[in-house]
Amino acid sequence: MTRLLVGPFNRVEGDLEVTLDIEDGRVSSARVNSPMYRGFEQILQGKRPHDALVYVPRICGICSVSQSVASARALADMGGLSIPPNGQHVTNVILATENMADHLTHFYLFFMPDFTRAVYAGRPWHADAQRRFDPATGEQARQAIAARQRWFTMLGLLAGKWPHTQSIEPGGSTRAVDSAERTRLLARMREFRRFLEQQLFAAPLEQVLSLASADALWDWDARAPLRGDFRMFLAIARDAGLMGLGKGPGRYLSYGAYPQPGAAFVFPRGVWRAESSSLGPLDESGIREDATHAWLADDGGPRHPRDGLTVPAGDKPGAYTWNKAPRLAGEVVETGAIARQLAAGHPLVRDMVERHGGTVFTRVLARLLELARVVPMMEQWMLALEPGEPYCASGALPDEGTGIGLSEAARGSLGHWISVRRGHIENYQIVAPTTWNFSPRDAAGTPGALESALEGAPVLQGETTPVSVQHIVRSFDPCMVCTVH
Amino acid sequence: MDITMPNFNVLWLQSGGCGGCSMSLLCADTADFHGQLRDAGINLLWHPSLSLESGSELIDLLERAADGRLRVDALCIEGSLLRGPNNTGRFHVLAGTGIPMIDWVRRLAATARQVVAIGSCAAWGGITAGGSNPTDACGLQYDDDRPGGLLGASFRSGSGLPVINVAGCPTHPGWVIDSLMALAAGQFSAADLDPLNRPRFYADQLVHHGCTRNEYYEFKASAEKPSDLGCMMEHMGCKGTQVHADCNTRLWNGEGSCTRGGYACIACTEPGFQEPGHPFHETPKIAGIPIGLPTDMPKAWFVALASLSKSATPKRVKANATADHLQVAPAVRKTRLR
Ligand code: SF4
Ligand code: SF4
């Protein structure tokens, strides 16, 4: 057996280190270290509750709106506030703008560049991949940055700026939109749709949405191979073996995304189990964070976030990361676009996961399919705005109370738990998507989702930063600054 | 890439921040991000979101930069420097190296021609230094508004300049790109820095300049709750009249700014903004008068002007100030002499 220390990873958000044990050219065991701690849960103690809305977006620059939304929901839950329909629609549009940008950034800037590496020089698609996805010169990577920049101008108007808006309030949004502004925003949305339809999918989004099974996708692919970056990904995925690489735990968590006024989520809440192909309810009370292998005090054993504890203990024996290990009813779960779309019954995602499991291929596929699905919805939410009607309910927050804010960031389920005493925050706990996906072992020694997904990954002769490991790591689109916070 | 290259070599590293300054950078107002840098002669040696090199490839690059085999013209650091626990720097050990990030930064800063703090974390400590500052976070050359920080008050980079503080949380992509372009062109000197070593081109402005709420400000017609259109100085915590930045003339993400988005300026370009000593979105007052008065304005004048302008507030301005959309449109008048 040999041991390999891999890091720093880039094209992930934040810093990441992985320790690999290798036997017979394969990873036999992996340990994931989130090597940076900032202590937001400590910083928030003693603050006024509303001030959380200034601190929490700054947990993460890539999903700051997701943090704001989770926090605003926790405060609204505590204060019994409800959002007027306009505020709900605009919040959904702001959150979806960030989530869709994250999917785009992940695909073009974080995930695909690895296929330009020299290790793939012999593959028939390599030169094409370089032309499209080289981080500095790739034609498509450069167009994607430009499309992303234009896309985010929606948040200049809707949220003042991105990242780190303060426009998201427990009662809604601080920025009312008039009809002329809505017209401008719709035009901007359609511009982004055009990028997706011309560059990414080379097809109308409705056509992509109509692909309801793996067979339908492969038929569609065979009709125009390599047209558009999505089909390029399909070709590489088949050739490079991404279908079977990096299999996750087979249990998928979604808190539910994009609540509609007075109605349910667009993408429902629940836990999808691959072995029974069924969606079960989410029991939030079953969440525990286990700090056995974190450089954090673990007094009292695994704790529900409502009374979570965050006290650094840098010399703790057996610890190897700053990240706690969240478990749902004792089990390891995976979260992300794949979980959201499984819970939401996306027929193609369900069919593909049935065939291949949750792997590098299906994770990236689910993300791209979510892009095709959500952008048209955003147009509908904009059209549902009623100019002249309120965007924000106002109301004082109570001096005592607790609140829970659950949301879906691009990378998956994000939860905030707040408790307030005498007008100040007594405890504030955050469990982010990558906290779940990149968790360390728990007290029973069960590895986290990435840790087990890495087992079996091939390591080529002489590799110090195995390319298969990079694909698996990046297929989760990890956000390390959120993970530990 | 070698030492003879004529390009302006930029090495960008992240530590105790959120990565938001990098995400903001990618929103730079250009149709061709890489082309803009290339045209300015800027070569990104490595950036966390924009480079292929990972793991051992990066460590090799850092070693070459630290011992001078690879010329670094600008070392850009994003995020606070985490000195804790007990000055060990263990709150951030750079992955794959076993070496605290603060030690890497000290080594690299010693050979870089310019050292640039990207964002308020790297400049002053920023949000990560909030509350009890559990990680003993600081900036490269400041600890809030006290000179010192990781590198010490007397630090000068190879060029002779102190750390250039491109402060903001996040920092504006235009502030970063304009700074790097000026440095690459050799058109940036000590005279271009304000008293807190921020580039004057944006720090010699106030957020208040160009705010769309200026008419409400003139008449002290004030917002009372989130989403109101009025000026946010009197009740909602806006510090735009004191805060150095051009946010309302060089807009964000197309047509945005904090005040245009309906929320107060919280002074994110200023040292210590993370601990204002009052709730961010409430204006602290003594006897009904805001404590933080506009920069360069004597208190007596402010009080006199405020009471005069309040008594002269047009109905339109008053009505619109506490609504989320226009209640009264400006009257239509003939604008010719006759
Ligand atoms: S200055 Fe603000 S945006 Fe930049 S890294 Fe720090 S917290 Fe993030
Ligand atoms: S809202 Fe702030 S920046 Fe705008 S006019 Fe009022 S004080 Fe000035």
Side-chain angles (χ1 to χ4, degrees):
Chain A
M1 191 196 78
T2 54
R3 181 161 280 194
L4 208 54
L5 186 67
V6 188
F9 283 80
N10 61 330
R11 289 175 282 113
V12 304
E13 195 59 35
D15 201 7
L16 167 68
E17 181 177 271
V18 181
T19 307
L20 304 171
D21 289 345
I22 296 158
E23 280 172 71
D24 304 327
R26 295 202 174 262
V27 173
S28 58
S29 155
R31 283 167 194 258
V32 180
N33 173 9
S34 308
M36 186 182 77
Y37 175 86
R38 287 168 298 161
F40 272 81
E41 291 161 337
Q42 292 180 282
I43 291 170
L44 283 161
Q45 281 173 1
K47 298 277 180 257
R48 301 285 281 270
H50 190 271
D51 283 350
L53 292 167
V54 171
Y55 292 97
V56 301
R58 291 166 170 91
I59 290 170
C60 175
I62 204 164
C63 45
S64 83
V65 165
S66 305
Q67 299 287 353
S68 299
V69 168
S71 187
R73 283 189 190 156
L75 294 172
D77 182 41
M78 182 178 81
L81 281 171
S82 55
I83 303 182
N86 278 348
Q88 189 65 70
H89 289 307
V90 159
T91 303
N92 283 341
V93 170
I94 294 172
L95 180 58
T97 304
E98 176 178 278
N99 285 357
M100 296 308 107
D102 278 4
H103 289 343
L104 186 86
T105 310
H106 175 261
F107 182 75
Y108 281 103
L109 301 186
F110 296 171
F111 182 73
M112 292 309 284
D114 285 320
F115 299 99
T116 70
R117 290 183 175 281
V119 64
Y120 289 121
R123 308 314 306 164
W125 40 262
H126 184 250
D128 200 1
Q130 281 188 316
R131 179 180 62 77
R132 296 188 200 213
F133 304 118
D134 180 279
T137 59
E139 291 164 11
Q140 299 304 94
R142 289 168 77 169
Q143 285 206 47
I145 295 176
R148 179 185 179 280
Q149 188 271 332
R150 293 284 288 175
W151 178 242
F152 269 130
T153 60
M154 296 213 306
L155 296 195
L157 197 157
L158 283 174
K161 71 180 196 296
W162 183 90
H164 306 341
T165 179
Q166 240 74 247
S167 75
I168 292 164
E169 280 280 323
S173 159
T174 62
R175 177 63 162 86
V177 180
D178 68 29
S179 329
E181 289 167 339
R182 171 166 66 185
T183 307
R184 283 210 301 286
L185 288 164
L186 280 166
R188 202 47 61 89
M189 283 182 184
R190 288 166 189 149
E191 188 181 314
F192 188 66
R193 174 193 268 263
R194 211 148 47 234
F195 173 86
L196 299 179
E197 294 187 336
Q198 290 177 353
Q199 307 301 326
L200 180 57
F201 295 111
L205 297 188
E206 284 70 18
Q207 196 184 98
V208 178
L209 283 172
S210 73
L211 303 170
S213 67
D215 292 342
L217 177 71
W218 296 125
D219 281 352
W220 175 84
D221 178 45
R223 265 179 271 138
L226 298 181
R227 264 202 65 207
D229 300 321
F230 178 52
R231 286 192 184 86
M232 178 76 186
F233 160 70
L234 295 176
I236 292 176
R238 273 183 311 226
D239 185 65
L242 305 187
M243 264 87 171
L245 191 68
K247 199 166 270 186
R251 290 175 296 274
Y252 303 88
L253 167 68
S254 169
Y255 286 160
Y258 308 123
Q260 297 299 297
F265 295 108
V266 166
F267 300 143
R269 173 175 290 186
V271 181
W272 176 261
R273 293 182 170 271
E275 80 259 2
S276 58
S277 291
S278 64
L279 184 68
L282 166 74
D283 178 10
E284 177 272 336
S285 70
I287 298 173
R288 293 288 179 281
E289 281 200 296
D290 180 328
T292 307
H293 293 283
W295 289 304
L296 296 167
D298 55 3
D299 313 359
R303 288 166 178 255
H304 187 275
R306 137 177 32 85
D307 37 49
L309 180 74
T310 306
V311 179
D315 299 318
K316 201 171 104 182
Y320 58 90
T321 176
W322 291 105
N323 189 21
K324 299 176 192 168
R327 297 290 183 261
L328 182 62
E331 291 183 318
V332 176
V333 296
E334 171 171 353
T335 186
I338 189 170
R340 263 193 309 275
Q341 293 308 322
L342 284 169
H346 193 298
L348 176 53
V349 174
R350 281 196 179 171
D351 192 21
M352 280 295 189
V353 171
E354 209 143 282
R355 287 164 196 248
H356 305 288
T359 63
V360 171
F361 170 65
T362 45
R363 282 179 203 114
V364 176
L365 178 73
R367 228 175 255 123
L368 296 175
L369 293 173
E370 193 170 76
L371 255 172
R373 203 168 172 192
V374 171
V375 169
M377 287 178 180
M378 295 172 70
E379 295 171 20
Q380 296 310 311
W381 301 335
M382 283 311 297
L383 289 169
L385 293 178
E386 303 265 9
E389 294 298 313
Y391 281 74
C392 193
S394 65
L397 296 169
D399 280 347
E400 308 268 331
T402 60
I404 304 176
L406 304 181
S407 182
E408 282 288 313
R411 299 165 178 76
S413 304
L414 168 67
H416 286 203
W417 286 261
I418 189 174
S419 60
V420 172
R421 295 259 307 198
R422 298 205 191 92
H424 293 86
I425 294 172
E426 186 180 48
N427 200 3
Y428 201 110
Q429 291 283 319
I430 300 140
V431 184
T434 314
T435 316
W436 290 97
N437 288 337
F438 281 30
S439 89
R441 281 154 169 74
D442 53 31
T446 311
L450 171 70
E451 289 185 333
S452 62
L454 284 171
E455 289 173 12
V459 178
L460 307 176
Q461 198 63 45
E463 274 190 322
T464 51
T465 311
V467 74
S468 68
V469 170
Q470 300 200 54
H471 295 326
I472 296 169
V473 161
R474 294 199 179 96
S475 74
F476 285 92
D477 192 11
C479 176
M480 307 313 297
V481 289
C482 277
T483 304
V484 174
H485 42 266
Chain B
M1 278 177 256
D2 70 348
I3 199 144
T4 58
M5 224 163 32
N7 274 338
F8 187 81
N9 283 346
V10 173
L11 174 60
W12 186 302
L13 299 174
Q14 293 170 339
S15 190
C18 75
C21 287
S22 280
M23 287 299 114
S24 179
L25 176 73
L26 283 173
C27 294
D29 185 13
T30 164
D32 183 2
F33 182 85
H34 287 290
Q36 185 184 32
L37 294 183
R38 210 164 6 250
D39 291 346
I42 294 168
N43 171 46
L44 276 184
L45 284 177
W46 194 82
H47 181 283
S49 315
L50 296 168
S51 297
L52 187 62
E53 296 87 349
S54 226
S56 50
E57 302 156 326
L58 170 63
I59 296 171
D60 175 61
L61 187 147
L62 294 182
E63 287 292 353
R64 286 186 292 132
D67 60 25
R69 282 175 291 152
L70 179 63
R71 197 189 70 241
V72 176
D73 295 301
L75 174 67
C76 293
I77 300 294
E78 173 183 1
S80 326
L81 292 310
L82 308 182
R83 292 170 297 190
N86 303 320
N87 285 314
T88 61
R90 294 247 328 266
F91 281 126
H92 185 196
V93 174
L94 180 63
T97 71
I99 297 170
M101 195 63 186
I102 51 173
D103 292 338
W104 277 109
V105 171
R106 285 194 188 104
R107 269 181 81 189
L108 291 162
T111 61
R113 185 133 185 87
Q114 310 280 357
V115 178
V116 186
I118 301 289
S120 291
C121 285
W124 333 114
I127 209 84
T128 313
S132 59
N133 192 359
T135 57
D136 198 11
C138 67
L140 283 165
Q141 208 171 7
Y142 278 86
D143 220 323
D144 284 346
D145 51 3
R146 299 178 301 281
L150 182 77
L151 299 174
S154 58
F155 171 84
R156 294 294 177 269
S157 66
S159 69
L161 291 182
V163 173
I164 299 166
N165 290 324
V166 189
C169 185
T171 190
H172 192 293
W175 304 340
V176 174
I177 296 218
D178 287 9
S179 298
L180 291 178
M181 291 204 307
L183 288 167
Q187 287 165 356
F188 197 98
S189 69
D192 296 307
L193 294 173
D194 89 338
L196 291 164
N197 295 338
R198 298 175 294 199
R200 299 200 95 102
F201 67 80
Y202 82 89
D204 277 358
Q205 315 283 320
L206 294 175
V207 169
H208 181 64
H209 299 160
C211 177
T212 48
R213 295 170 193 245
N214 278 172
E215 190 188 31
Y216 297 101
Y217 173 86
E218 285 165 31
F219 291 106
K220 293 285 154 297
S222 298
E224 291 170 1
K225 56 186 185 306
S227 87
D228 282 354
L229 295 174
C231 172
M232 295 180 285
M233 179 198 180
E234 194 179 1
H235 305 304
M236 308 293 289
C238 187
K239 299 193 169 166
T241 56
Q242 306 156 61
V243 172
H244 292 244
D246 58 2
C247 297
N248 271 309
T249 47
R250 178 204 297 262
L251 296 176
W252 291 75
N253 302 101
E255 47 188 285
S257 74
C258 293
T259 59
R260 286 167 200 231
Y263 49 94
C265 168
I266 58 166
C268 80
T269 56
E270 304 290 340
F273 88 94
Q274 72 278 3
E275 286 295 332
H278 62 87
F280 282 100
H281 294 287
E282 283 172 33
T283 306
K285 296 174 207 172
I286 291 177
I289 299 162
I291 294 171
L293 290 179
T295 295
D296 309 320
M297 190 157 191
K299 183 172 168 188
W301 286 40
F302 179 82
V303 173
L305 267 176
S307 71
L308 182 66
S309 58
K310 270 205 182 197
S311 64
T313 308
K315 236 205 217 113
R316 166 179 61 85
V317 177
K318 200 177 163 106
N320 293 338
T322 52
D324 74 357
H325 61 280
L326 222 57
Q327 303 295 304
V328 184
V332 177
R333 288 270 168 77
K334 286 207 173 77
T335 54
R336 301 166 290 179
L337 283 178
R338 19 166 247 113

